[in-house]
Amino acid sequence: MRSAISVVLLFITHALLSQNNVTLSFENKPLQEVLTTIEKAYDVKFSYKASLAENKFITLSLENPPLNTVFQRLQDQVPIVFEKVNDRYYIIRNQQQEGKIRICAVLRDKQSQLPIEEASAVNISQYKGTVTNVNGQFELFLAFPTDTIEIRYLGYKTKRLLAQQLAHKPCEIILLEADQYDLGTVLISNYLTTGIDKKTDGALSISPSELGILPGLTEPDVLQSIQLLPGIQSPNETASGLFIRGGTPDQNLILWDGIKMYHSGHFFGLISAFNPYVIEEVSVYKSGTETRYGDRISGVIDIQTDTKVPEKLAGGFGFNMTHADAYLKMPIAKNFGISVSARRAFTDAIETFTYNNFSKRVFQNTKITKSTEVVDNVFSETENKFYFTDYTIKLMGKLSDKDEIMLSTLRTKNELDFMSEIPLFEENSRDRLDIRNNGFSGFWKRQWNPNFTHTLDAYYSRFDFDYLGTYRGDIVEVTEQNQKRNKIKDIGFTYNTDWEIDEKRRLQSGYQFSSNDVSFGFFGFRGTEEGVRTYEASEESINNSHALYSTYRYNNQKELIVNAGIRVNYFSTIKKILFEPRLYVEKKLNEQFSINFSGELKHQAVSQILEFNTANFGLENQVWAIANGDEFPVLKSRQISSGVVFNKKGWRVNLDAYYKNITGLTSFNRSFGNTSVLETFSEGNSKIYGIDVLVEKKIKNYKTWLGYSYTDNKFEFSIINNGLTFPGNYDIRHYLRWAHSYTIKNFEFSLGWNYRTGTPYTPVTSETQANGDLFIFIGETNSTRISDYHRLDFSGTYTFNFDKKNNWKGKIGFSLLNIYDRQNLLERYYEIRPFLNQDNNIQFRLETVDKLSLGITPNLVFRVDF
C-alpha cells in the first residue's frame, strides 16, 4: 500500500513541478532542437519551413521566463519572426519575408459534397502546419507548398488528403475531398472522452488509438472501456461479463473483423481477448441496431482493425504486470500492407502482485487455490500453471482504384493446469482446462461508381472448450474422472450493397448466410471398491440461418436523422421465418436540444445454458447450445427507447429511457437454484425497465462526467417462485459512476468512483437435522440483496519521446483499483457439503459461499511505439 501511494505522489509531484518551473539552458544548440524543447515546455506548436532552422544555433539561459521573453531572446540571435495564430499555434518565418503564407481550403465529403464543420491539424511529416476552422472553411498555415495534408475531423478518423500544386499566394482556394470514409457519420464527438464519438445511426464509436485516459486503465482495454457507457454493466467485475441493458453476456454479438466471437476474455474474463493496438474502431449498439447485425438479442460490439494500407514501418511493444505484447504494421508491396500482433501472459513463469490479486479474485471458492490445510496440520501441495495468449494477422490491399481486399485471422487461447496432492492421505488430483477461439475472415469492396458500392465478406469461427478433471485416492481406493467438451464451428458470408440516392438519402441491402455446428458432451466415472458408476450425455445440432435485410437512411444532421429497416430470418432448426423491424430517429429541436427514438425486434438461436455435471470444478459452468424449439426455445427480444440530448457551453446531458421484453428464457439459461442443483426445465420471460443518464462538462484540460443507470429487471417462470415475478440474478437497480480526467503537458490523470446497489439472492430461512438428513427452507426467489458496492480507481500516464524527431515514443503508467481496499461482496449462494461427525459418520451441513471483489490492486505499464 505504501509503495502504491508513493507512486501516486510521485506522479502528482512531478506534474506540479513541471507546471510551475521552466528552465531553458542551451549552449550552441541547433534551432530545431531549441524549438522542440520550447513546444514541450509551454505546450505550444510552431509552423515553419524546415530549411528555416538550418545552420542556426542558440545559446540561451533563462529561469521561468514568459513565452514572449523567450521569443524576443531568440529573435535577438537569429533573423526570425514569431506570428501568433491562436493561444497555441505560432508561425515562424524569416524576417525578410512579408505577408502571411496561407492556404484557404474547404473540406468536404467526396460523396455527399457537404462541408465538414470541424477539424484539427495532424502533423504527418517533418513539415509543420496548423489549421483553423471558420464555418466549414479552413485556413491552413503552411511554410511552403506540399502535396499532402492530413486532417483529423471530429476526432473520429484520420485521413491523408491530397491537395495538388499549392503555391505561395495570399489565399488559394482548394477543395479537399476524403475518398475513403463517410465524413458525415459522426453526430457527437468526444463523447465522455477523446476517442469516443456518437454516430448518426445511434451507435457509439470508440477509437482506441485516440482514447483518452480512463479511471483504473493505463491501456485502452476495449471491453473495459465500454463499461464507462451508461446502460452497460459488469456485475462480476470482469471485462467480458458485459450486461447491456439487462441482457446477459452470451446475448451480445461480438465481432472481430466480421468473425463471431464465442469467448471474449482472458484470465476468466478479467482481461479482454482483443489487442487494442491494432484496432481502428469499435462500434457499440445498445438499441436501434442496424439490420445487418443478427443472431443476438442484446448489444452489438463490432471491432474493426486497421483498414488503411501502411505506408511505412510502424509498431510497438510493451508490458504490464500480467502480460506483454507487440505489434507491427508495414508495407509489403505497392498498395499492399500487413499488420501483425501478439500478446502472451507470463503468469506461468512470474507471479506479480497484480497476478496474485487477480488469482485470488478468480479462483476463490474453487478447487484452484493455494496450499490449504485439509485437517489439523495436514496440508495439500498445489501447483497452478496458467497462461493466455492471442495473436492476429491482417493483410490489406488495393487491387485497383475501385477494389479493396482484406484478409484477417485471430487466435486466442487460455490454458490452465492445476495439480493438488495430499501425501499423507495418498491423494492427488489434476484439472486441465483449454479454451480456444480461432477465426478467419475475408473482405472485398468494390466502388462501382460514386454512388454505388458492394461488399462481400466471409468468415469462419471455431470455439473449443475442453476440461478434464481426475482424482485418485489410494487409501480410500477411489478413482474419479470428469470430462466436458463444447465445440462450435461457425461459417458464413454476407453480400451487402450500398446505394447513395442523393446527398441525404441512402439505401443499404444485403443477404447473410451462416451455419452453426454446436456440440457438447459430459463424460465421467467414479470407481470404488463397491463398483464403477459412469455417466455420459452429449448432443450435436446444426442450424443454418438465412437472412435478407434492408435499411433506408435519411441524414440531415441539422434537422432530422432516420434509419428504418427490416431483417427477415430463417432458422433451420425450428423451420420458421422471423421478422425483425428496426428503427432509429433523431430530431434536432434547436441548437441545444435534440430528441431520439429507437425500436427493434431480435431473435437468437445460439445461447449458453448451465450444466451441473462438473459444477465441483467451480469455473466455466456454461456451454453453448442451439435452440431446438423444445428444451431450448429461440430467444426473442423487443426493445423501445427514447431520449433527449442537451448541449451548450461545454455542458452535455444525455437521458435515455427504455423498455425491453425477452421471451424464450429457460431455467437452464439462468441459474435460480440456490442450495442444490435446479435441473427442472421451465420456460419464462423477463421485462426490463431502465433509465440511463449522462452529464458531461469540460473546462480547458479538465473533464468530468457523471453516469447514472436505473434498471428494473423482473423474471417470471411458471414453476419458480410460485409463478410470481422476481428480480433477475443481476438486477442492479442503481448504478452511478463519477469520473474525472486532467491533462497537463505530457501527463494524464484520471479518477473514478463507482457505486451500485447489491444484486439479489435467495435466502435460507431455516435448517434442521433429522436422522442424519439435512432439511432446509428457503425464502422467496431473489428476495434479499447483498450489500452495496463502491470502489475508487486511479490512473496516471506520462508520455515522452526517445529521439528528437519524435519517431520513437514511450509511455509509462500506473493504475490503482479499489484505492481504499473495500471488501465488496459480488455474489452469495449456498452449498450443501458433507462432513464427518464425532462418530465418524457422514453428515451434511449448509454453508454460505461469498464471492468477493478485487482488493486494492496496483498495475504498472511501459510501452514503446515507433
Side-chain angles (χ1 to χ4, degrees):
M1 181 66 184
R2 292 181 178 177
S3 60
I5 295 176
S6 300
V7 175
V8 176
L9 293 176
L10 177 61
F11 267 95
I12 297 174
T13 305
H14 193 170
L16 294 174
L17 291 175
S18 300
Q19 182 180 16
N20 298 326
N21 297 295
V22 175
T23 300
L24 300 178
S25 181
F26 308 105
E27 184 66 33
N28 201 30
K29 294 293 184 181
L31 176 60
Q32 182 179 359
E33 179 181 336
V34 173
L35 294 175
T36 300
T37 301
I38 295 172
E39 283 181 324
K40 296 178 182 178
Y42 291 90
D43 194 22
V44 296
K45 293 293 182 182
F46 298 131
S47 173
Y48 58 90
K49 187 176 180 180
S51 60
L52 176 143
E54 293 178 356
N55 300 319
K56 293 182 177 67
F57 300 91
I58 300 295
T59 298
L60 186 66
S61 180
L62 295 171
E63 288 286 342
N64 302 321
L67 187 57
N68 288 336
T69 301
V70 177
F71 289 165
Q72 185 61 48
R73 295 292 297 274
L74 293 178
Q75 290 172 161
D76 291 342
Q77 298 187 43
V78 292
I80 58 176
V81 174
F82 292 87
E83 183 173 331
K84 183 176 181 179
V85 177
N86 53 41
D87 290 338
R88 191 160 186 253
Y89 292 99
Y90 295 83
I91 297 172
I92 306 175
R93 56 183 174 86
N94 290 318
Q95 287 183 349
Q96 62 268 27
Q97 286 185 318
E98 295 181 0
K100 179 185 297 183
I101 301 172
R102 182 177 64 180
I103 297 171
C104 296
V106 174
L107 176 64
R108 74 180 187 186
D109 185 332
K110 185 175 182 179
Q111 294 185 357
S112 69
Q113 302 297 305
L114 296 176
I116 308 306
E117 298 181 352
E118 296 184 32
S120 61
V122 176
N123 186 22
I124 59 172
S125 65
Q126 71 270 27
Y127 309 128
K128 295 177 181 264
T130 62
V131 60
T132 57
N133 174 23
V134 181
N135 298 325
Q137 179 169 301
F138 302 89
E139 292 186 341
L140 286 82
F141 297 92
L142 302 175
F144 59 94
T146 181
D147 62 353
T148 57
I149 299 170
E150 187 167 332
I151 291 180
R152 177 173 298 159
Y153 47 91
L154 293 169
Y156 175 49
K157 294 284 189 184
T158 301
K159 173 65 182 171
R160 179 166 297 185
L161 306 174
L162 187 63
Q164 297 285 356
Q165 298 178 351
L166 308 186
H168 286 189
K169 294 182 180 181
C171 184
E172 177 177 349
I173 300 295
I174 62 173
L175 188 63
L176 303 180
E177 296 181 340
D179 57 4
Q180 185 170 350
Y181 299 108
D182 177 8
L183 304 182
T185 60
V186 176
L187 189 64
I188 298 176
S189 61
N190 296 338
Y191 189 93
L192 286 180
T193 185
T194 57
I196 303 180
D197 308 308
K198 184 178 181 182
K199 301 168 70 175
T200 56
D201 60 358
L204 291 170
S205 169
I206 300 176
S207 300
S209 62
E210 301 175 11
L211 199 62
I213 191 169
L214 299 172
L217 299 179
T218 52
E219 295 185 279
D221 187 292
V222 173
L223 299 185
Q224 288 181 337
S225 301
I226 291 173
Q227 296 176 29
L228 290 173
L229 306 174
I232 301 180
Q233 304 168 357
S234 179
N236 53 10
E237 280 190 334
T238 63
S240 60
L242 298 180
F243 288 71
I244 300 180
R245 290 188 167 178
T248 56
D250 66 303
Q251 295 169 2
N252 297 325
L253 176 63
I254 301 180
L255 301 173
W256 172 278
D257 280 347
I259 304 170
K260 289 183 184 178
M261 301 301 299
Y262 291 89
H263 191 80
S264 58
H266 286 320
F267 213 139
F268 300 96
L270 288 183
I271 301 169
S272 69
F274 310 116
N275 191 331
Y277 298 104
V278 292
I279 296 175
E280 182 174 273
E281 180 189 9
V282 182
S283 297
V284 182
Y285 293 84
K286 296 187 290 184
S287 63
T289 311
E290 287 192 13
T291 56
R292 59 192 175 101
Y293 298 112
D295 202 31
R296 295 292 188 276
I297 63 171
S298 191
V300 174
I301 303 170
D302 188 354
I303 304 171
Q304 181 69 55
T305 62
D306 295 316
T307 58
K308 183 179 178 181
V309 177
E311 298 181 357
K312 60 181 181 180
L313 180 67
F317 57 89
F319 65 88
N320 57 29
M321 294 296 102
T322 58
H323 64 272
D325 79 279
Y327 71 94
L328 193 66
K329 307 172 187 179
M330 61 181 176
I332 56 176
K334 184 178 181 181
N335 296 328
F336 282 87
I338 191 170
S339 170
V340 297
S341 73
R343 295 191 301 174
R344 193 193 191 281
F346 43 73
T347 51
D348 53 334
I350 303 174
E351 294 188 3
T352 66
F353 44 78
T354 305
Y355 168 71
N356 288 333
N357 279 16
F358 281 5
S359 297
K360 183 178 178 181
R361 155 68 181 84
V362 169
F363 298 132
Q364 61 180 309
N365 302 321
T366 71
K367 295 173 64 177
I368 317 302
T369 57
K370 293 288 185 181
S371 177
T372 56
E373 189 172 13
V374 181
V375 295
D376 291 344
N377 299 317
V378 178
F379 291 85
S380 63
E381 299 176 1
T382 63
E383 182 180 358
N384 185 7
K385 295 180 180 180
F386 168 78
Y387 76 95
F388 62 82
T389 183
D390 61 68
Y391 72 81
T392 67
I393 304 175
K394 185 170 186 178
L395 174 69
M396 302 149 282
K398 285 193 172 185
L399 299 178
S400 68
D401 292 338
K402 295 184 177 182
D403 296 276
E404 300 177 25
I405 63 167
M406 284 177 275
L407 301 174
S408 184
T409 183
L410 167 71
R411 295 180 65 90
T412 71
K413 179 179 180 180
N414 286 259
E415 191 166 292
L416 172 73
D417 190 352
F418 174 77
M419 291 169 284
S420 177
E421 183 178 8
I422 308 175
L424 184 63
F425 293 166
E426 299 182 18
E427 294 180 1
N428 62 78
S429 65
R430 187 174 186 180
D431 295 274
R432 286 176 287 182
L433 178 65
D434 192 356
I435 306 175
R436 305 186 185 198
N437 202 156
N438 307 323
F440 173 84
S441 67
F443 172 85
W444 170 44
K445 176 182 178 182
R446 180 171 178 81
Q447 183 87 35
W448 290 94
N449 57 53
N451 297 325
F452 185 77
T453 302
H454 84 197
T455 59
L456 177 64
D457 13 350
Y459 74 91
Y460 171 76
S461 181
R462 179 173 179 128
F463 170 75
D464 291 275
F465 179 102
D466 289 285
Y467 165 73
L468 178 63
T470 59
Y471 169 80
R472 181 181 180 87
D474 290 339
I475 294 180
V476 294
E477 296 184 359
V478 173
T479 302
E480 185 175 350
Q481 178 174 296
N482 294 288
Q483 186 175 6
K484 176 169 67 174
R485 294 177 179 174
N486 190 196
K487 298 184 183 297
I488 300 175
K489 298 176 183 178
D490 188 347
I491 188 171
F493 68 89
T494 301
Y495 177 75
N496 182 81
T497 63
D498 197 335
W499 174 33
E500 187 176 347
I501 304 171
D502 55 36
E503 62 183 25
K504 295 181 181 179
R505 296 181 300 159
R506 174 173 291 179
L507 183 65
Q508 184 186 54
S509 302
Y511 165 75
Q512 285 182 347
F513 168 81
S514 66
S515 178
N516 294 327
D517 183 348
V518 181
S519 64
F520 60 85
F522 314 108
F523 316 92
F525 69 85
R526 176 181 176 85
T528 65
E529 57 183 7
E530 298 176 354
V532 177
R533 181 169 57 90
T534 64
Y535 72 88
E536 180 176 350
S538 63
E539 182 175 317
E540 181 175 6
S541 300
I542 299 177
N543 178 53
N544 294 322
S545 173
H546 303 266
L548 293 172
Y549 63 89
S550 184
T551 299
Y552 170 80
R553 307 176 190 276
Y554 176 82
N555 187 351
N556 181 359
Q557 292 192 21
K558 294 183 179 180
E559 295 182 3
L560 178 67
I561 297 172
V562 178
N563 297 318
I566 189 167
R567 180 183 178 93
V568 183
N569 296 310
Y570 174 80
F571 296 148
S572 65
T573 54
I574 60 172
K575 295 180 174 59
K576 287 185 179 180
I577 296 176
L578 305 170
F579 293 88
E580 299 181 352
R582 314 274 179 89
L583 177 66
Y584 177 81
V585 179
E586 181 142 349
K587 171 66 176 175
K588 192 168 185 179
L589 302 179
N590 52 44
E591 292 299 322
Q592 288 79 40
F593 284 95
S594 64
I595 57 175
N596 60 72
F597 172 84
S598 70
E600 64 182 21
L601 178 62
K602 294 181 177 182
H603 298 86
Q604 181 171 338
V606 180
S607 60
Q608 286 185 318
I609 61 172
L610 292 169
E611 66 83 16
F612 304 101
N613 293 286
T614 57
N616 63 326
F617 177 54
L619 292 168
E620 302 289 345
N621 288 319
Q622 289 186 317
V623 296
W624 290 93
I626 289 181
N628 55 21
D630 297 323
E631 295 94 346
F632 313 130
V634 170
L635 297 175
K636 180 179 179 180
S637 170
R638 289 165 289 183
Q639 181 181 189
I640 59 172
S641 66
S642 182
V644 60
V645 179
F646 171 78
N647 197 342
K648 185 177 182 181
K649 294 183 179 180
W651 285 96
R652 183 182 296 151
V653 181
N654 194 342
L655 185 148
D656 284 296
Y658 63 90
Y659 165 75
K660 181 188 289 188
N661 178 261
I662 300 175
T663 58
L665 294 171
T666 75
S667 52
F668 294 137
N669 291 107
R670 309 280 183 118
S671 173
F672 302 114
N674 301 283
T675 60
S676 62
V677 175
L678 178 65
E679 298 191 49
T680 303
F681 173 82
S682 176
E683 186 175 346
N685 64 80
S686 71
K687 295 180 180 180
I688 307 165
Y689 301 86
I691 297 175
D692 297 331
V693 182
L694 177 65
V695 181
E696 302 176 66
K697 175 62 176 176
K698 183 177 181 182
I699 306 173
K700 295 183 178 180
N701 295 335
Y702 167 75
K703 189 168 187 177
T704 183
W705 64 91
L706 183 70
Y708 168 76
S709 293
Y710 169 82
T711 306
D712 185 357
N713 189 353
K714 292 289 181 61
F715 283 83
E716 184 176 6
F717 285 78
S718 58
I719 64 172
I720 299 177
N721 203 45
N722 297 319
L724 301 176
T725 62
F726 58 92
N729 289 357
Y730 296 102
D731 175 49
I732 299 177
R733 290 296 171 89
H734 304 280
Y735 189 100
L736 179 71
R737 181 188 291 270
W738 188 18
H740 314 262
S741 65
Y742 181 67
T743 302
I744 174 173
K745 298 180 181 177
N746 293 348
F747 286 91
E748 286 188 287
F749 303 98
S750 185
L751 189 69
W753 186 66
N754 300 334
Y755 167 83
R756 66 174 186 244
T757 51
T759 54
Y761 71 98
T762 303
V764 172
T765 56
S766 62
E767 58 178 298
T768 60
Q769 293 274 356
N771 299 322
D773 296 324
L774 176 66
F775 296 90
I776 60 173
F777 302 89
I778 62 174
E780 294 184 4
T781 304
N782 287 348
S783 59
T784 306
R785 290 181 180 268
I786 61 177
S787 56
D788 292 351
Y789 174 105
H790 53 87
R791 193 179 84 182
L792 183 67
D793 301 329
F794 169 82
S795 295
T797 62
Y798 172 71
T799 56
F800 57 93
N801 294 315
F802 286 99
D803 62 342
K804 298 177 182 179
K805 295 184 179 180
N806 301 338
N807 291 329
W808 288 76
K809 299 180 180 180
K811 182 176 83 169
I812 57 174
F814 170 76
S815 66
L816 195 60
L817 300 175
N818 198 0
I819 293 178
Y820 48 79
D821 199 20
R822 175 175 168 81
Q823 193 176 60
N824 288 298
L825 182 60
L826 297 177
E827 185 180 0
R828 171 171 289 171
Y829 57 94
Y830 300 93
E831 287 186 353
I832 299 175
R833 295 178 178 174
F835 72 99
L836 293 178
N837 60 19
Q838 294 179 349
D839 299 326
N840 288 326
N841 294 322
I842 295 179
Q843 283 189 275
F844 296 90
R845 63 188 173 197
L846 186 70
E847 292 190 5
T848 302
V849 181
D850 287 342
K851 182 174 289 187
L852 302 177
S853 68
L854 277 171
I856 182 170
T857 305
N859 200 355
L860 299 172
V861 64
F862 174 78
R863 291 207 60 80
V864 176
D865 297 281
F866 59 89

